[in-house]
Structures are given as structure tokens and as C-alpha cells.
């Protein structure tokens, strides 16, 4: 595989989806063939799972973790692996580290346990670089307040989001060779410049 795989991560309201699409555009401008994906979703099955996992039904932490893992396994098989094998770049709006922060840490399932259930579906398709947009949860909360709709997980409130932010910092400490923790404070363009520097600097 000679493509490059970049994932963007952050709490809800960190601006990660906007930054993922700005990054994909900037890489295309540089002549790279880029596939942009988002999790959960990106395949027909994954979009169905997204409806279930973000829908209103109560679910146990492990049911939640396994649904995200199933959507991810399908995305890897159908999209990520073929793209990397074809030498394309993949920019993912969330990947494994979302499960490590939300389910592993915030839900208390344990980072190692969540890595283990995801590993068979991911195989060797791990991101070359993961960018975590780090934002104090109160700023993310202000950004979230402007949104029209919130999903089941976002709707759980600030304590969960603070646990997720701490989870991301923990994940960044565990995998320093893969993860860059970048401040999400500032304008879209300022954050984009930091993100692009982390990606281009690593090529
Ligand atoms: P996302 O699509 O980023 O939300 P939005 O469209 O509102 O930006 O993510 C949906 C939610 O799913 C978000 O609250 C984070 C959560 N999530 C997990 O808890 N674990 C995971 O593995 C993934 C991929 C997402």
C-alpha cells in the first residue's frame, strides 16, 4: 500500500468535519488523489448502522462500541483498503480513536479492550497520521450550541464531552508516534494551516 491515510479526530463541536474537508481540498490542490470518508458511515451498511447507533434507542456501552466497530470494518473493506492499495490518499473524519475516546475512555470500556474488538476489522489499515483537534470543552460547547440538531451521543451533555476530551489526550499519550494533538483554537484558516503543516511535514 503506498497511499497515505490521515484521520481527524476531536470532540463534537471541535470543527473536525470542516477541517477534514479543508484538508482533503488542500491535498487535491497539491495533486493528490484523495478519498474523503466519514465515520460512522461511508458505505450503505455503515449509513444504516449510523442511523441505529445515533438514533434514540438506549444501548449498552458494548453494543455501541461493537456497532461502531462493525461500521468501521465495512468501511475498511469497501473503501479504505482499496483506496490505499490503489495508491490514493484517504482523509477520514473520525476513525478508531473516536471509539477509543468515546467508548474506551468516556464509557469506561477500556482503551485496550476497544482496540482488541476493532483490530480484526482494521487489520493493517491504520492511519499513518491522526490529528486530534484539541479544544477546551466549553469552547466546543459554545460551537455546539449553534447547531440545529444533536444526535444521541452529543445530547448526553458536557460531562461526557469532557471525558471524551480527556480520552483523546490519553490516546495521544499512548500512541505519540501516530498522533498529533493540535490546538483547535483560532479561526478556521489558522487551524487549517496547523493541520496542513502536520500532514505535509510528515511526508
Ligand atoms: P459525527 O458524525 O462526527 O457527528 P456530527 O455529524 O454531529 O459532526 O459523529 C457522530 C457521533 O458518534 C459523535 O458524537 C461521536 C460518536 N462516535 C463514537 O462515539 N464512537 C465512534 O467510534 C465514532 C466513529 C463516533
Amino acid at each position: 500500500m503506498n497511499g497515505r491515510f490521515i484521520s481527524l479526530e476531536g470532540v463534537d463541536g471541535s470543527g473536525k468535519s470542516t477541517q477534514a474537508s479543508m484538508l482533503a481540498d488542500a491535498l487535491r490542490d497539491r495533486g493528490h488523489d484523495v478519498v474523503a470518508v466519514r465515520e460512522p458511515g461511508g458505505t450503505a451498511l455503515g449509513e444504516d448502522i449510523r442511523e441505529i447507533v445515533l438514533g434514540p434507542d438506549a444501548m449498552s456501552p458494548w453494543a455501541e462500541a461493537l456497532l461502531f466497530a462493525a461500521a468501521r470494518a465495512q468501511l475498511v473493506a469497501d473503501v479504505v483498503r482499496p483506496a490505499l492499495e490503489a495508491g490514493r490518499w484517504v482523509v477520514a473524519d473520525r476513525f478508531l480513536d473516536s471509539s477509543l475516546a468515546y467508548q474506551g475512555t468516556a464509557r469506561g470500556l477500556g482503551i485496550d479492550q476497544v482496540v482488541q474488538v476493532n483490530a480484526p476489522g482494521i487489520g493493517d489499515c491504520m492511519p499513518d497520521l491522526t490529528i486530534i483537534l484539541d479544544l477546551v470543552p466549553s469552547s466546543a460547547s459554545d460551537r455546539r450550541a449553534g447547531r440545529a440538531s444533536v444526535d444521541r451521543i452529543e445530547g448526553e451533555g458536557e460531562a461526557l464531552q469532557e471525558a471524551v476530551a480527556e480520552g483523546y489526550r490519553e490516546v495521544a499519550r499512548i500512541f505519540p508516534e501516530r498522533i498529533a494533538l493540535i490546538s483547535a483554537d483560532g479561526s478556521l484558516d489558522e487551524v487549517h494551516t496547523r493541520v496542513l503543516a502536520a500532514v505535509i511535514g510528515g511526508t
Side-chain angles (χ1 to χ4, degrees), residues 144-168:
R144 283 193 296 274
R147 293 189 177 187
S149 68
V150 291
D151 61 52
R152 183 179 58 83
I153 294 176
E154 260 179 90
E156 286 185 43
E158 293 315 304
L160 181 80
Q161 296 295 329
E162 288 187 25
V164 170
E166 187 43 45
Y168 274 129

Side-chain angles (χ1 to χ4, degrees), residues 52-65 67-68 107 152:
I52 296 171
V53 77
L54 299 181
D57 292 348
M59 64 184 70
S60 76
W62 270 115
E64 187 179 270
L67 284 168
F68 282 118
R107 298 284 194 223
R152 183 179 58 83

Side-chain angles (χ1 to χ4, degrees), residues 12 16-17 39-40 50 54 68 72 93-95 98-99 102-103 147 151 153-154:
D12 297 294
K16 127 202 91 51
S17 302
E39 280 209 351
R50 181 184 181 90
L54 299 181
F68 282 118
R72 184 166 299 126
D93 177 354
R94 298 194 180 281
F95 196 66
S98 283
S99 286
Y102 284 79
Q103 283 70 49
R147 293 189 177 187
D151 61 52
I153 294 176
E154 260 179 90

Side-chain angles (χ1 to χ4, degrees), residues 18-33:
T18 309
Q19 291 299 332
S21 88
M22 289 171 85
L23 174 63
D25 287 345
L27 293 172
R28 286 188 188 107
D29 287 348
R30 281 170 171 70
H32 297 296
D33 186 1

Side-chain angles (χ1 to χ4, degrees), residues 4 30 55 65 68 86 90 101 106 117 119 125 129 134 137 170-171 177 190:
R4 257 177 89 73
R30 281 170 171 70
F68 282 118
V90 175
V117 295
C125 283
L129 172 68
D134 193 33
E170 175 71 14
V171 168
E177 66 296 336
E190 284 166 350

